[in-house]
Amino acid sequence: MPRSYLRLFQAIVTLFIICAFVGGLVGAVNALTADRIFDLKLQKTEAAMRTVMPSGEIFNEIGDVSAYGFDSNVSAFYEALGSDSSCIGYCVEAKPTGFASQITVLVGLSFDGTVQGVVITDCSGETPGLGNRVAEPAFTAQFNGKGATLAFSGGGAPAANEVSAISGATYSSRGVYEGVSSCIRAAISYTNANGGEAK
Amino acid sequence: MSKPRNPYSFPAMLRRGIITENPVLVQTLGMCPSLATSTSVSNAIGMGLSVTAILICSNVMISLLRKLIPDRIRIAAYITLIAGFVTAIEMLLNAYLPSLSESLGIFIPLIVVNCIILARAEAFAAKNTVYRSFKDGIAVGLGFTFALVLISSVRELLGSGTLLGFPVFGANYPDATLFLMAPGAFLVLGFVVAGFRKITAKKEGK
């Protein structure tokens, strides 16, 4: 066998062993941490859902939502069950585009699409000090009690159905507004598809 | 200079890594993570220590394998090893320090392409013993952490009026948001590097 083949063979074997070692290492760490990461994620979502839907006890994710014609930025839909296991409303998650990234908003809604609460679960890609201020309660509380007529106020005093942007963060604010609007529409179309009331 | 000092003694390596050959302040390596993760002191410490851990692992591993890895595939081998360690650290952070991993976000996976780590692998670990490479990992890692903490203290103090989350200037301090954004990062970096060089130059009697 010529020498050059030998060297090629040596390179392939070395890389193969390194890849196998790294694969084993990553696999081992993954096995060690996967459950914990999953639990933490679940806890975080549950805690967020409890803030937007305080009387909710159990949250059931509706897996297949293709029948309801939700906006494309709606990423998850949950039925919130109260203490007597009857459905008391919905928690809807949407991922609208803000200024520089996707913002994740979680909205608690009643059957007719009235907003009970809004929490921003992720705006880490937005500008610190400007865009990421959409997570502050002062901004998100504006949505409470608003419904199908929700509108965005570019400036000036907002009307009863309007929310106003954080100055200097219009894109991020508008992103959140669009996300919440999609959640409202999702709640209404889900209620309608199930015969006007909850199942 | 009365007696010749061992250049590979741990104190001498620490001195080089943190002061005379600081990766950020003197060699200006790893600028992207230094600018991006220095918005708060806690971020800086988290990022600095993550990089230190990865640097120690990759230095030791590469030094261990330095005679076995054929020269022409060494970069591919290094990157694969570094990527493996970074992925492992990312999972550990996700599982045990979720708030930190959330605030550092994309910059943890990006440690793979952090040039400080590849530079130490190529310039040091590939040529030195395992123990020296281990010490080098600590020294350079702490140098990176030190630089990040310097930059982030200024940015957090001016940008949010806090240090490590504790208010310094009181509640009425109007946040100078500029310092949390990219332009402020460049400004602070420039002044910190200039100040650092001024002080170290004076010490060396230049």
Side-chain angles (χ1 to χ4, degrees), chain B residues 165-178:
Chain B
F166 296 108
V168 175
F169 295 143
N172 293 328
Y173 177 73
D175 296 351
T177 308
L178 170 72

Side-chain angles (χ1 to χ4, degrees), chain A:
Chain A
M1 193 154 57
R3 240 187 108 75
S4 61
Y5 279 150
L6 201 75
R7 278 175 37 198
L8 186 66
F9 187 69
Q10 188 196 13
I12 292 169
V13 170
T14 316
L15 271 184
F16 180 81
I17 294 172
I18 289 174
C19 288
F21 167 78
V22 169
L25 175 84
V26 172
V29 176
N30 183 42
L32 204 73
T33 55
D35 288 348
R36 224 189 129 86
I37 294 174
F38 184 78
D39 285 352
L40 278 172
K41 242 188 175 160
L42 214 64
Q43 273 174 24
K44 216 184 122 190
T45 323
E46 283 232 331
M49 286 195 283
R50 262 176 240 285
T51 10
V52 296
M53 191 57 97
S55 45
E57 294 282 330
I58 301 167
F59 301 94
N60 281 340
E61 180 160 13
I62 309 300
D64 180 22
V65 292
S66 51
Y68 303 109
F70 292 167
D71 293 357
S72 58
N73 62 23
V74 173
S75 51
F77 192 98
Y78 302 84
E79 276 187 347
L81 307 183
S83 48
D84 59 349
S85 300
S86 65
C87 183
I88 53 166
Y90 315 121
C91 286
V92 191
E93 187 192 72
K95 295 189 171 171
T97 306
F99 174 66
S101 67
Q102 268 190 346
I103 301 174
T104 309
V105 296
L106 187 75
V107 186
L109 299 136
S110 57
F111 302 127
D112 63 353
T114 306
V115 175
Q116 309 288 313
V118 174
V119 159
I120 311 293
T121 48
D122 181 24
C123 60
S124 54
E126 297 298 285
T127 317
L130 290 172
N132 73 358
R133 287 178 56 209
V134 294
E136 290 175 3
F139 177 71
T140 54
Q142 296 185 84
F143 291 96
N144 293 352
K146 300 199 166 60
T149 56
L150 177 70
F152 192 67
S153 158
N161 64 331
E162 286 183 336
V163 290
S164 51
I166 293 175
S167 65
T170 316
Y171 280 90
S172 307
S173 308
R174 184 178 280 279
V176 174
Y177 153 75
E178 276 163 8
V180 176
S181 310
S182 297
C183 293
I184 294 173
R185 283 194 288 276
I188 294 170
S189 63
Y190 187 82
T191 303
N192 289 341
N194 285 311
E197 261 306 313
K199 297 185 280 194

